[in-house]
Amino acid sequence: PDLPLSRLLRLSLFQVSVGMALVLMIGTLTRVMIVELKVPAALVGIMISLPLIFAPFRALIGFRSDHHRSALGWRRVPYLWMGTMVQFGGLAIMPFALLVLSGMGHASHAPAWVGHMAAGIAFLLVGAGLHTTQTVGLALATDLASPESRPKVVGLMYVMLLLGMIVSAIIFGAALAEFSPGRLIRVIQGAAIMTLVLNVVALWKQE
């Protein structure tokens, strides 16, 4: 009774935003960077692998959120909010960083290292944000669920992750079917705004 399906589905929206970010980085941007932006595939591979740097820190993030107490008594929500803002920031700067990296338009006069650094920072921020959000979000879901229902709750969370990946892949593919730098900026910054909206709705009054 204290964890109705509607509340659980609302909480699982953070998994939708994580799935959206994964599809954007691993699928959509891989193709865009290689085909449209003419970025060398080896460099694309390095950029895509950067978010994995933060994967080992998930254990530390989960441990810190287990023992954290904010002024309002929250443990998970401050970390969820922090992860959301980091992910939002990475997505917000990512399209401009990619255009500088590719040397398109006015960005062709920028030194190569500027594009490499900007794109690397963007991918690192998105990776850090989604790892933080997913780790703490799943921890919050298990906090709210009773021990006997936790396997079903975690299963639902990963179903929502897959749904987020499927739906966002279709939307990104349709939006970028006719590529232009302006459209790339709008699509990625739209994903940044959706990340913020979905995660705020997900964590609202959950803890």
Side-chain angles (χ1 to χ4, degrees), residues 101-113:
L101 178 66
S102 66
M104 294 187 67
H106 298 293
S108 59
H109 303 293
W113 65 268

Side-chain angles (χ1 to χ4, degrees), residues 1-8 144-146 148-149 152-153 206:
D2 56 340
L3 188 61
L5 184 60
S6 58
R7 183 182 178 188
L8 197 55
L144 297 175
S146 59
E148 61 273 11
S149 64
K152 292 185 287 186
V153 168
Q206 292 286 6

